[in-house]
Amino acid sequence: MALDTIEAADQLLGEGDIPPVHEVNAQAGSPFLLTSDHYGRILPRALGDLGVAESELTRHIAWDIGIAGVADRLAEMLGAHLIAQRYSRLVIDCNRPPAAVSSIPVISEATAIPRNEGISEREGAARRREIFEPYHSRIDAAIDRRLHDKRPTVLVSLHSFTPVYAGVARPWHIGALYNRDTVLPQLLLRHLRSQGDLVVGDNEPYAVNDLTDYTIPVHGEARGLVNTGIEIRQDLIADQSGQQQWAERLAGIFAEIEVELRAERLVD
């Protein structure tokens, strides 16, 4: 009986909770592998509301507003594999190294997350084991399979950003994010700027690095994949019309980039 109690205490997701990983087009032929670390804002039933008001749980602190609709549409238009994560970044942030303080945040922007204060190592381990690890293991497995099959793989990590953060307005419509590998970001920046109607961020509003990011450093750079991060401003994709328009825009750009990558023998 004692063992059952320990096992129950160590388990985060239970009856009524959905799996953390959302996938589209797992067998797709496109070279593009899309990821979305902050796709959803679901909370495990065991954690209640994390001590946070519902109005806060719909804000950018809980998820990347609008990116789910863009990601699903873009995967369909490109015929690309999408791997996304359904749980709120307030439970565990799937684009943070597990050792980072911001992995399980106790405050986000100016909002305190009471349920995350002083959690035990066992609870933190459960969040990593049941949400973070299944998501990243699925990305790893997809890359392994593609490399085994000698299929080209270009990693695109999809995110969105709030128009105003800590009282400061952000002018960019979209940004290309990167760390060491600049091949795809520079192509993307050139295509975005050529459209003429966009304020484009070059490593804005964020820049990728090993201490604050996980998906690009671990799945992109460490695996030797051509990669980029994308950030779209949330007010532009808050409704279905905006999501459709941005998916169409990006699909057209990536179709052209694929031709260029193949011409440069960066994708065979």
Side-chain angles (χ1 to χ4, degrees), residues 89-153:
R89 65 193 302 171
L90 297 179
V91 178
I92 186 166
D93 193 321
C94 285
N95 192 37
R96 296 290 181 271
V101 173
S102 56
S103 170
I104 300 177
V106 297
I107 188 166
S108 184
E109 196 173 11
T111 301
I113 318 298
R115 183 62 180 76
N116 289 349
E117 282 278 3
I119 66 169
S120 68
E121 176 52 39
R122 283 169 58 186
E123 182 176 331
R127 297 190 193 191
R128 291 189 293 272
R129 183 177 63 250
E130 298 184 44
I131 295 176
F132 183 94
E133 291 175 7
Y135 172 60
H136 287 292
S137 293
R138 183 66 195 102
I139 297 172
D140 263 336
I143 294 171
D144 286 344
R145 171 52 60 184
R146 296 172 74 105
L147 294 177
H148 177 270
D149 293 343
K150 295 182 169 44
R151 293 174 54 200
T153 303

Side-chain angles (χ1 to χ4, degrees), residues 9-10 36 44 59 61 66 69 79 88 91 147 149-150 195 199 226 241 247:
D10 285 348
S36 184
R59 294 180 61 234
I61 64 170
S88 173
V91 178
L147 294 177
D149 293 343
K150 295 182 169 44
Q195 303 216 342
V199 179
V226 175
S241 174

Side-chain angles (χ1 to χ4, degrees), residues 178-232:
Y178 54 92
N179 189 14
R180 301 171 185 86
D181 183 0
T182 64
V183 172
L184 181 54
Q186 292 306 316
L187 287 174
L188 180 59
L189 287 167
R190 178 165 57 79
H191 280 274
L192 290 168
R193 287 166 175 158
S194 72
Q195 303 216 342
D197 62 340
L198 298 176
V199 179
V200 181
D202 182 344
N203 255 351
E204 296 284 2
Y206 306 105
V208 176
N209 69 64
D210 295 337
L211 298 179
T212 61
D213 295 86
Y214 191 89
T215 297
I216 286 178
V218 172
H219 299 299
E221 294 181 334
R223 303 296 295 267
L225 303 181
V226 175
N227 68 84
T228 193
I230 290 179
E231 292 271 0
I232 307 172

Side-chain angles (χ1 to χ4, degrees), residues 12 30 37 41 72 85 93 113-115 169 197 204 217 229:
L12 175 64
S30 169
D37 306 323
R41 64 179 188 92
D72 284 333
Q85 200 287 115
D93 193 321
I113 318 298
R115 183 62 180 76
D197 62 340
E204 296 284 2

